[in-house]
Amino acid sequence: MSPTLIALGQDYPDLQAILPDVQAATDLLGDAFAAGHRLYTCGNGGSAADADHIVGELVKGFMLKRPLPPADREALVAQHGEAGQLLADQLQGGLPAVALTAHTALSTAFANDVSPELVFAQQVHAYGQPGDVLLAISTSGNSTNVLHALRVARTRGMHTLGLTGQSGGAMPPLCDVCIRVPHTSTPRIQERHLPIYHALCIALENRFFAQTAD
């Protein structure tokens, strides 16, 4: 188990029992990124904010600076001179992740014209490719729009991760890995989701960018 996840268990002893699931999710995501695939996230309310938060930690530097690889820097400078040097100095290494909660015009149009329960499923159908990953967040495990997104993801050959509460609701059968926080209160579940996905993002950052950091 990674040092980051060991530290998570030390800081939150109530999460000790689910650390193997967090490690499995980290490994699945890491292998998907290494193979050139993408992550998509979704959730409602506070979980929508978490879905967007996760993307923010992955697409840019989180705990590390993530300088661009030398080949990328050289190409930018060679093709764009002074502007390329600015880009080379300030852009950061990123992992390809997209929050399905962020596309307001698309989501509201689809909800109004077709069905609000299918706004995530429609995006998964349009974007998802075999080998990509959907991370679905629902404190109850029973959010209809999240469950439909998971169903579509599985039919498209994507990997599926769930982040939910103790019961898991209807999510576990639809997930390759389902992280079930051992709490039943929505606020308590959400309070544990944040350190879990922070630890996951730190572990992924260490895997892909520790060798390039200053």
Side-chain angles (χ1 to χ4, degrees):
M1 186 170 295
S2 74
T4 300
L5 299 191
I6 293 173
L8 174 66
Q10 293 171 342
D11 291 341
Y12 298 90
D14 56 327
L15 300 182
Q16 283 281 355
I18 65 169
L19 291 183
D21 292 327
V22 182
Q23 182 67 63
T26 303
D27 293 341
L28 188 156
L29 266 174
D31 291 345
F33 285 137
H37 299 297
R38 296 177 180 272
L39 168 67
Y40 299 94
T41 63
C42 67
N44 299 291
S47 297
D50 288 332
D52 203 30
H53 190 162
I54 291 166
V55 169
E57 310 298 25
L58 294 174
V59 173
K60 65 169 187 61
F62 180 21
M63 303 299 290
L64 302 176
K65 291 184 178 180
R66 304 191 194 177
L68 294 187
D72 290 349
R73 292 177 57 85
E74 292 167 6
L76 284 166
V77 174
Q79 293 182 40
H80 305 292
E82 184 177 346
Q85 186 66 59
L86 174 69
L87 292 167
D89 290 342
Q90 296 193 22
L91 289 180
Q92 302 174 341
L95 296 170
V98 178
L100 302 181
T101 54
H103 307 125
T104 306
L106 168 62
S107 296
T108 54
F110 194 85
N112 183 66
D113 298 343
V114 185
S115 169
E117 295 184 343
L118 302 180
V119 292
F120 297 144
Q122 175 63 32
Q123 292 181 76
V124 172
H125 177 74
Y127 304 142
Q129 298 296 319
D132 287 346
V133 182
L134 174 67
L135 171 55
I137 310 171
S138 169
T139 57
S140 68
N142 291 316
S143 300
T144 301
N145 55 0
V146 169
L147 295 174
H148 282 325
L150 286 167
R151 294 181 180 111
V152 173
R154 291 181 75 87
T155 64
R156 294 193 65 77
M158 297 171 63
H159 300 293
T160 51
L161 300 179
L163 187 56
T164 184
Q166 182 170 288
S167 75
M171 289 179 73
L174 298 172
C175 296
D176 297 318
V177 179
C178 192
I179 301 170
R180 292 186 281 181
V181 170
H183 291 280
T184 58
S185 162
T186 295
R188 292 291 175 265
I189 295 168
Q190 291 176 327
E191 288 165 7
R192 292 301 185 266
H193 280 180
L194 188 148
I196 287 171
Y197 67 68
H198 268 173
L200 188 153
C201 290
I202 291 169
L204 289 168
E205 184 174 59
N206 288 336
R207 173 170 173 174
F208 290 98
F209 302 106
Q211 69 277 11
T212 65
D214 292 340

